Amino acid sequence: MSAQPETVRRLTVVDIARLHADGVRIATVTAYDYPTAQLVDEAGIPLILVGDSLGQVMLGYDTTVRVTMDEMLHHTRAVVRGARRALVVADMPFLSYASPEDALENAGRFLRDAGAQAVKVEGGVRSARAIEALVKAGIPVMGHIGLTPQSINTLGRTRVQGKGREQARALLADALAVQEAGAFSIVLELLPGQLAGAVTERLRIPTIGIGSGAGCSGQIQVITDLIGLGTWTPRHARRYADVHGVILEALRGYRADTEAGTFPGEAETVLMEPSVLDEVLGRGMDDRAPAQLSGIPLDRDL
Ligand code: KIV
C-alpha cells in the first residue's frame, strides 16, 4: 500500500486570532521563494509575509516603490507552493490600493491567482477606506503603520516614527482606524518601544512589531536579516545564522575543486556500459581510450 501524502491544514486568520487570545507571541517572517517558505513551515512559524521588501533584498532595487504587481504575484505563488501550513500574506505594492477599486482588483489577484490568504497595506487613516472595502469583500487585511517604506519619497529617510507628541497621537489614531476598518493584525514598524506597547494595549487585534520593541503581540523580521544572508544587519534585527558565510565558503570550495579538477569525482559521475559507447563511436574494444573508463580502477584486468 502506498503512503498517503500527509494532509496539512492551512492556518487562517481565525487561528492567528486564537494564538493571540491564548497569549502566544506571533513569530512572523518574510519569504520570497519556494525553498525558504518550506523552511519557514518546517520551523513552525505560523505567519509569512511576502513583503515588497522583495524589491530590495531579492531584486536589487533601491526602494520598494519600484516593485510591481507582477513581481509580487510571481513570488507569492512560489511561497504559497512552499508553505503548506503557514498563513501567507501578500504585500500590496505601491499604488496598487490607491483607491478601494484598485485595492479590490489587485488583492483579488493575490487571493485568486496566487493563492495567498490575506494582503497587507501600508497606511493608517489614509488607507482605512481601502481596508474596509477589502474586508467587506472577504479579503483579510494586515495593516502597517509607523515607518511605511512605500512613502520613503515623502518621509525622506528610514527613521523611527512617533517620537514627538503629534506624531505619536497620529499613530495611535492610525492604529485604531486600521482596527476599526476590520484588519486582522497590524505591523508596527520602527515605533519607540513604549508607544508600540501602548498601541498594543489599546488594540484587540495583534500588533506585529519590527524595530518596535518587545511589547508587541508578535514580531516580524526580514528573512535575510534573520539568517544573515546579507553583509549588513539593521540595528533592530538579530542575526541568528551566518548564511552569507556558509554560502561563500561553499562557493569558494566549489570553485577550488572545479579548478583543480577534483569535482566532479567518481561519486558524482554516472557511467554507461562501455560497449554501448564503443558501438556508437564505431570502434573496437582495443581502440578504447583509457580515460573513457574512469570510474573503473585502471589496474583492473579488463
Ligand atoms: O515588505 C516587508 O518586508 C515589510 C515588513 C518589513 C513588515 O513590510
Side-chain angles (χ1 to χ4, degrees), residues 30 32 49-54 64 91 120 122 144 149 187 189 210 220-222:
T30 67
Y32 315 100
L49 171 69
V50 187
D52 63 355
S53 48
L54 163 81
T64 58
D91 217 353
K120 177 169 84 57
E122 292 186 4
H144 182 166
V187 170
E189 182 163 356
I210 174 162
I220 179 162
Q221 286 288 298
V222 170

Side-chain angles (χ1 to χ4, degrees), residues 33-35 37-39 41 77-85:
D33 58 50
Y34 176 81
Q38 283 184 313
L39 284 167
D41 238 13
R77 285 188 198 104
V79 169
V80 169
R81 286 192 290 269
R84 292 161 65 209
R85 175 178 177 267

